[in-house]
Amino acid sequence: MAGTKLKIKKVKVGLGTCGIAAGASQVYQELESLGKKEGFEVGKVGCLGLCYREPLINIEGSFGRVVLGDISPSELKGAWEDIKNGYFPEEKIIFDGQNYRDNFITRQKRIVLRNVGLIDPEDIEEYLACNGYKGLERVLTWEPEKVLTEVEKSGLRGRGGAGFPTGLKWKLTRAAPGDTKYIICNADEGDPGAFMDRSILEGDPHSVVEGMIIAGYAVGASEGYIYVRAEYPLAVKRIEKALKQAEKKGFLGENILGSKFSFKIKIKEGAGAFVCGEETALIASIEGKRGMPRLRPPFPANRGLWGKPTSINNVETFANIPWIILHGAEEFASIGTEDSKGTKVFALAGRVKKTGLVEVPMGTSLKEIIFDIGGGIKEDKKFKAVQIGGPSGGCLPDKLLETPVEYRALTETGAIMGSGGMIVLDETSCMVDLARYFLTFIQSESCGKCVPCRVGTKRMLEMLNRLTEGELSSEEIPKLEALAHVVRTASLCGLGQTAPNPVLTTLKYFFSEYDMHAKEKRCPAGVCTGLTTFVINEKVCTGCGICVKHCVVKAISGEKKKPHRIDVEKCVKCGLCLINCPFDAIYKV
Amino acid sequence: MKKVKLKINEKVIEAVEGKLLLEVAKENGVRIPHLCYEPRLKPYGSCRLCLVEIKGERKLQPACATPVKNGMEVITDSITLYEIRRTIIDLLLSTHPEDCLTCEACGRCTLQDLAYEYGLRKTSYQGEKPHTPLEDHNPLIFREREKCVLCGRCVRICSEVQGVDAYTFAGRGFQTIIATAFDEPLSLKNCEFCGQCVSTCPTGALVSRLEMGKARSWESKGVMTTCPYCGCGCQIVLKVKDNQVVGVESDYETHNRGNLCAKGRFGWEFVNHPDRLKTPLIKKKGKFVKASWDEALALVAEKLKFTKEKFGSESIAFIASAKCTNEENYLLQKLARVVFGTNNIDHCARL
């Protein structure tokens, strides 16, 4: 390509929430004005998943497609002359027309994310060009039972976390007595650090819509709901658009594609309660009630929304469906392990070099994801743990890095698959503090219905708070553990039953850290401020006085040009002196 | 009704299919502790005290919400269950004010009984207690949210039995409280002051203001009687101390299932009121004078007879009362029509 003048037809900008946060809107504006001059179109795509290389652009033309990353709006204008002539800046190329240059992408297997980041999510034609709604067309020529068998044969399990077989769930809903049935798409993704569902909805909403329509046909439902959190405004906007376009094309509404099957989808925006991701609380919320889980059985397959049989599945589960129909159950089942078929999308975040969306075949080891795909730990620090499964999940140490990502193997370690959050931690993280963080989250998100979750998690949190302040004795740690077990076995819903996982797994794999906090009153990672002291290294300190200026409590004193001292009694451990010292003379003990 | 056989703690028991396990156990002398279960309400399963082990079930199940099935094998007591129950009670105590000594509910408080049974003299947890101040100066229902165990029985009885929905849960997590809309006093809400919430509260969080300070729960004795307010004939139990009525309650084992209205539950102060009429009064020389029932009835009969003879049957009208039973009202119209020969009979409920 180099040297030949390229015919650029369209340039698409990665405009997911993440891209926008990285400045993609400015890139978009810049390209729009360039496009007017040069005569090419400018479009949008969702997030390709390479968070660390945002903003991203797709350049399309007679030469094919090239993806570039790390685009800054200011550089763009100057670089365009070269690009036009086929000289792409080497270091920015992600996809060169034939191959992906980054093994972050090449090591993945993209089924759910097949279109995400490549097609314009606001244009149904682009989805149709990628075999969109072909699955639905095929399904409508089948008996609903055949769809159920196909999905069951594929071995697909719920991607929301618990891993219930999707085919079986649909079968139970179909078999439940009643004429009115519902399909619900659970898009109330609330785990801190998780953004798989958002990216799918922002990048390829039609795949989810198509999956829902197929589910409706299979179980005999004529209405569906997408329960999406209101904190995802872009996703809501894109689903709204997708629904309108699908309706216009006859994929939604009365007599879909001339068949006797009718189906419509409504959007319900959640009001920001984590517990509404639990299916019975979610249903209560759609019904206009307080989002509180109720006892199961009866399961939603028998008594769900408005008391009618309801199949409730996760975003990622639905996005798998059209692919399974088009490629066949056997092909899907050939991916993954005996226990878990297909792929799983993870949101890789934390202290890893390459952060972003990762879709890998089930059975891939944690090590492969973190080190081969994620490129290892930032600043080449030492790996300490990976927190998998969100606040309900667990922390796994390096000796468990070979664990394959599949439902059974992860559950055996004490963590769970969860919805796919994966947070990497290095030696600078304190595991007690981490457990405390997740428990703080859970405690404020508990619905307050059952005693173990409402009061139990509060008392656990208070114990951890005291531990991080050096006020918990080591004799009390077994009490914390015993309480965690009661909360796990006695809570009413999944939120409470999994809430102690971060504490139990850190106790299991990082007990020495708990012990140090309790016995030696020391935080080995230097995170727990209650147990750390800020000290000035007198040999390095030049007495410049910068720290004195930054100290808000006037805890630092000393003569000019002579080593300074920190008054431990006054210090509030805000860390401002440490950050601002130009000579790195201040350190934590 | 289909009968099923199940095993509770190794003992074979016969029960009606679909009946709740907790109730079946109770009928067979097996006590399972519980707080949020109430026979008048739908299963809820929030206190987790009645969790039991059922063979073949992966998780522990709440007996209050599990219908019995044929062949079920249930364990209601084990070390695990004991630990769970003791921990839950301990946790509840950790949120509770320790003022049993002067609490209105002392002696009839489920939490107090459970703490006693499980040997918890005080909580083993330290930590924050809920601070939920409330301004509600209504004259009948005293609410003290600090004593609330959030079993939701008040919320549910108000909704499921009364259809009023004056209460709701509000807030999340440890901050969850029972509130009215916008947390305003009950008197500003749709509350009917039936006091059903008071009747179902297992602790001292909801108390009848009229009974406060009148008697410790063990000091009064119960006298079963019929509510005098209407023809429904709800069975009430008067709480009597030193020959004075100090309160009213009602049993579940009555035809009204322990349910009462505002009048039945709170309208008992007239019983010992000094102004209350206890004998008929006859006006003699412009002044009311106490008389016997025989005297009074004879006088009424004489006057009615006189009126009928002098002015004719149509000069008399009878008004029956909703406070009387159907039978009494029937007899009154019979008296009007047959004895006095008039159809002038009406009823206060029609006015």
Side-chain angles (χ1 to χ4, degrees):
Chain A
M1 277 183 281
T4 47
K5 203 165 166 65
L6 297 181
K7 219 177 157 101
I8 296 170
K9 269 210 318 246
K10 193 167 185 175
V11 180
K12 294 177 189 164
V13 185
L15 280 173
T17 301
C18 40
I20 294 170
S25 293
Q26 287 92 304
V27 173
Y28 186 82
Q29 279 168 11
E30 197 64 41
L31 278 167
E32 260 189 330
S33 65
L34 264 172
K36 265 186 208 144
K37 229 171 33 199
E38 309 269 344
F40 60 81
E41 267 183 85
V42 184
K44 299 171 187 172
V45 287
C47 163
L48 190 62
L50 292 89
C51 298
Y52 63 102
R53 302 206 60 180
E54 296 279 6
L56 256 58
I57 57 171
N58 276 263
I59 305 171
E60 292 174 10
S62 49
F63 54 92
R65 188 171 69 90
V66 172
V67 183
L68 304 179
D70 306 310
I71 302 296
S72 84
S74 52
E75 286 172 14
L76 195 62
K77 228 178 200 162
W80 202 254
E81 275 307 307
D82 287 343
I83 291 174
K84 239 173 30 185
N85 292 318
Y87 295 107
F88 293 101
E90 257 327 288
E91 74 287 356
K92 292 192 193 294
I93 299 179
I94 292 169
F95 181 72
D96 60 14
Q98 264 113 31
N99 299 308
Y100 279 101
R101 294 252 184 110
D102 196 323
N103 60 358
F104 185 81
I105 290 269
T106 51
R107 293 292 300 263
Q108 298 190 34
K109 165 95 186 154
R110 295 202 156 202
I111 291 179
V112 171
L113 303 175
R114 57 194 179 274
N115 300 323
V116 176
L118 305 178
I119 64 165
D120 184 345
E122 298 188 10
D123 185 356
I124 193 169
E125 296 298 341
E126 295 211 7
Y127 181 65
L128 290 172
C130 302
N131 287 327
Y133 291 103
K134 284 275 176 359
L136 174 63
E137 273 176 36
R138 180 175 292 177
V139 156
L140 290 176
T141 65
W142 295 355
E143 288 297 314
E145 282 74 17
K146 192 177 167 190
V147 188
L148 298 178
T149 323
E150 195 70 7
V151 175
E152 206 169 21
K153 258 195 337 204
S154 75
L156 176 65
R157 294 172 64 172
R159 298 296 193 241
F164 191 81
T166 308
L168 181 60
K169 194 183 259 187
W170 289 10
K171 230 177 192 172
L172 292 171
T173 313
R174 181 162 185 90
D179 295 331
T180 313
K181 290 173 187 178
Y182 294 99
I183 297 292
I184 297 177
C185 171
N186 184 348
D188 193 48
E189 181 179 55
D191 290 1
F195 49 87
M196 302 76 53
D197 296 350
R198 177 176 59 74
S199 293
I200 297 167
L201 290 170
E202 286 178 359
D204 192 15
H206 284 288
S207 66
V208 180
V209 173
E210 186 181 355
M212 285 181 75
I213 305 171
I214 294 172
Y217 181 73
V219 308
S222 55
E223 212 175 315
Y225 282 85
I226 301 179
Y227 188 92
V228 53
R229 49 193 312 219
E231 296 92 327
Y232 284 177
L234 187 62
V236 174
K237 197 185 105 190
R238 290 197 173 148
I239 306 164
E240 273 169 1
K241 266 201 180 154
L243 292 180
K244 269 191 201 136
Q245 291 172 350
E247 207 164 335
K248 228 177 174 177
K249 291 270 180 190
F251 299 123
L252 263 179
E254 299 295 318
N255 302 94
I256 292 170
L257 300 174
S259 71
K260 282 185 188 155
F261 172 60
S262 302
F263 193 75
K264 56 182 178 186
I265 295 178
K266 287 180 185 163
I267 299 174
K268 168 81 187 172
E269 286 180 53
F274 179 69
V275 72
C276 284
E278 196 282 339
E279 57 182 14
T280 57
L282 187 152
I283 287 170
S285 173
I286 294 183
E287 289 172 349
K289 297 177 191 148
R290 180 180 157 91
M292 267 172 140
R294 63 154 173 80
L295 293 169
R296 297 179 309 176
F299 286 93
N302 286 308
R303 285 189 55 131
L305 184 60
W306 317 113
K308 309 286 184 200
T310 304
S311 179
I312 168 161
N313 302 95
N314 167 267
V315 170
E316 196 182 325
T317 312
F318 281 124
N320 269 304
I321 299 293
W323 194 95
I324 292 172
I325 300 293
L326 281 181
H327 295 78
E330 285 81 14
E331 192 168 341
F332 188 82
S334 71
I335 308 163
T337 64
E338 189 53 42
D339 168 74
S340 314
K341 306 291 183 197
T343 60
K344 178 78 194 84
V345 185
F346 290 97
L348 190 60
R351 304 287 300 162
V352 67
K353 279 182 186 152
K354 299 175 184 176
T355 54
L357 275 189
V358 177
E359 183 174 357
V360 287
M362 292 280 191
T364 309
S365 74
L366 291 167
K367 197 174 186 175
E368 276 175 271
I369 298 176
I370 298 163
F371 289 91
D372 296 349
I373 297 174
I377 309 300
K378 257 183 200 163
E379 296 161 21
D380 292 319
K381 286 213 162 73
K382 202 168 158 255
F383 169 88
K384 189 182 236 177
V386 55
Q387 211 285 340
I388 178 163
S392 327
C395 296
L396 304 182
D398 54 358
K399 65 173 185 204
L400 289 176
L401 271 175
E402 297 294 341
T403 311
V405 288
E406 58 155 29
Y407 294 97
R408 193 175 42 205
L410 283 173
T411 309
E412 276 165 11
T413 63
I416 56 166
M417 175 77 84
S419 55
M422 197 181 270
I423 300 167
V424 180
L425 304 152
D426 66 14
E427 55 196 333
T428 61
S429 311
C430 167
M431 302 314 283
V432 177
D433 185 63
L434 184 87
R436 191 181 67 104
Y437 165 75
F438 280 112
L439 215 54
T440 312
F441 178 84
I442 283 291
Q443 164 52 213
S444 59
E445 291 296 340
S446 159
C447 81
K449 182 169 177 174
C450 73
V451 185
C453 180
R454 182 183 72 238
V455 192
T457 59
K458 173 78 176 174
R459 298 297 173 236
M460 282 172 69
L461 175 61
E462 284 168 338
M463 279 192 231
L464 286 175
N465 277 338
R466 279 165 49 216
L467 186 60
T468 56
E469 283 152 16
E471 285 163 17
L472 195 85
S473 69
S474 56
E475 287 79 43
E476 285 178 276
I477 292 176
K479 191 180 163 108
L480 171 70
E481 194 170 0
L483 178 57
H485 280 292
V486 169
V487 174
R488 177 147 88 171
T489 36
S491 288
L492 190 150
C493 81
L495 186 140
Q497 287 161 9
T498 55
N501 282 353
V503 177
L504 286 171
T505 51
T506 45
L507 270 170
K508 189 171 168 187
Y509 300 119
F510 300 94
F511 184 77
S512 63
E513 291 199 22
Y514 279 81
D515 215 34
M516 271 186 232
H517 281 74
K519 275 193 191 140
E520 299 169 26
K521 310 288 174 208
R522 193 164 71 80
C523 172
V527 173
C528 301
T529 47
L531 298 177
T532 45
T533 317
F534 285 78
V535 184
I536 296 176
N537 184 343
E538 292 184 6
K539 285 181 190 149
V540 185
C541 179
T542 62
C544 69
I546 290 179
C547 55
V548 179
K549 277 185 205 146
H550 281 98
C551 181
V552 281
V553 288
K554 299 198 166 51
I556 307 176
S557 58
E559 268 179 61
K560 246 187 180 175
K561 296 194 175 168
K562 292 221 170 119
H564 283 40
R565 293 182 71 89
I566 299 176
D567 184 344
V568 187
E569 293 294 308
K570 282 187 189 165
C571 175
V572 291
K573 295 160 190 176
C574 66
L576 278 174
C577 54
L578 188 143
I579 299 166
N580 288 296
C581 175
F583 306 100
D584 291 333
I586 302 175
Y587 61 98
K588 287 193 280 187
V589 195
Chain B
M1 277 185 286
K2 206 176 147 196
K3 293 265 184 173
V4 292
K5 270 190 184 161
L6 65 146
K7 263 191 198 169
I8 298 182
N9 302 336
E10 304 287 307
K11 200 177 127 194
V12 179
I13 281 168
E14 207 179 56
V16 177
E17 187 178 28
K19 199 162 186 184
L20 295 172
L21 181 55
L22 185 85
E23 292 168 357
V24 172
K26 196 175 170 190
E27 285 163 10
N28 288 278
V30 179
R31 216 184 75 76
I32 304 174
H34 55 81
L35 258 175
C36 70
Y37 163 83
E38 226 265 36
R40 290 179 282 180
L41 306 172
K42 287 184 199 154
Y44 195 61
S46 75
C47 74
R48 316 305 285 167
L49 280 170
C50 73
L51 287 178
V52 292
E53 292 169 12
I54 299 175
K55 203 177 166 188
E57 294 276 353
R58 205 161 47 92
K59 290 176 181 169
L60 303 174
Q61 296 295 326
C64 72
T66 307
V68 291
K69 277 193 278 197
N70 205 24
M72 215 177 212
E73 288 180 36
V74 185
I75 300 290
T76 68
D77 262 317
S78 68
I79 294 173
T80 316
L81 293 175
Y82 181 84
E83 275 308 314
I84 287 175
R85 287 171 190 159
R86 198 170 192 276
T87 307
I88 289 173
I89 299 160
D90 198 349
L91 287 171
L92 283 173
L93 284 181
S94 76
T95 66
H96 208 79
E98 288 169 9
D99 66 351
C100 291
L101 207 57
T102 51
C103 179
E104 198 57 36
C106 181
R108 59 153 185 82
C109 168
T110 318
L111 182 61
Q112 192 183 43
D113 294 347
L114 288 168
Y116 179 77
E117 185 185 337
Y118 283 80
L120 282 154
R121 294 186 65 169
K122 61 180 199 173
T123 180
S124 69
Y125 296 102
Q126 40 175 296
E128 187 190 338
K129 289 197 185 229
H131 178 60
T132 50
L134 176 74
E135 272 204 20
D136 196 342
H137 300 298
N138 77 76
L140 298 177
I141 299 172
F142 178 69
R143 300 163 63 199
E144 195 173 355
R145 285 197 288 221
E146 276 78 7
K147 289 181 182 166
C148 178
V149 290
L150 288 157
C151 63
R153 276 159 64 166
C154 53
V155 177
R156 291 180 287 142
I157 205 161
C158 195
S159 171
E160 291 172 23
V161 180
Q162 292 306 116
V164 172
D165 285 295
Y167 290 118
T168 181
F169 286 92
R172 271 188 220 161
F174 194 69
Q175 315 302 330
T176 310
I177 50 166
I178 303 290
T180 57
F182 305 107
D183 216 10
E184 287 184 329
L186 280 171
S187 50
L188 294 178
K189 292 292 139 200
N190 48 345
C191 174
E192 293 170 354
F193 290 96
C194 59
Q196 290 275 73
C197 52
V198 174
S199 79
T200 194
C201 181
T203 68
L206 289 166
V207 167
S208 161
R209 262 193 217 272
L210 304 185
E211 298 181 20
M212 285 172 79
K214 294 218 164 61
R216 311 308 308 261
S217 64
W218 56 88
E219 286 179 326
S220 61
K221 63 171 191 194
V223 179
M224 176 81 106
T225 184
T226 304
C227 173
Y229 278 103
C230 80
C232 286
C234 289
Q235 295 300 291
I236 57 175
V237 177
L238 294 175
K239 297 188 217 172
V240 179
K241 177 192 170 188
D242 301 336
N243 228 19
Q244 298 277 307
V245 177
V246 290
V248 158
E249 58 190 9
S250 183
D251 275 352
Y252 178 70
E253 303 299 332
T254 55
H255 73 85
N256 49 298
R257 289 278 178 253
N259 297 313
L260 292 177
C261 73
K263 290 195 258 184
R265 190 170 323 271
F266 296 117
W268 48 265
E269 281 180 313
F270 75 91
V271 178
N272 300 115
H273 201 280
D275 291 350
R276 182 183 164 190
L277 287 181
K278 289 177 182 161
T279 61
L281 300 175
I282 296 173
K283 204 178 230 175
K284 289 177 180 168
K285 294 177 188 164
K287 270 194 176 162
F288 282 112
V289 179
K290 277 187 186 171
S292 72
W293 278 104
D294 284 347
E295 250 181 286
L297 284 170
L299 180 67
V300 173
E302 184 199 320
K303 296 269 178 184
L304 283 172
K305 226 155 119 189
F306 168 78
T307 311
K308 187 193 163 188
E309 275 160 18
K310 189 160 182 196
F311 304 104
S313 294
E314 291 305 302
S315 62
I316 304 171
F318 292 79
I319 292 187
S321 166
K323 279 196 173 192
C324 305
T325 62
N326 277 348
E327 292 80 353
E328 287 161 344
N329 278 319
Y330 174 81
L331 288 174
L332 187 73
Q333 66 83 33
K334 199 86 175 169
L335 181 80
R337 292 201 168 99
V338 177
V339 180
F340 290 97
T342 177
N343 286 331
N344 292 343
I345 173 93
D346 212 332
H347 190 280
C348 71
R350 210 184 62 80
L351 298 178

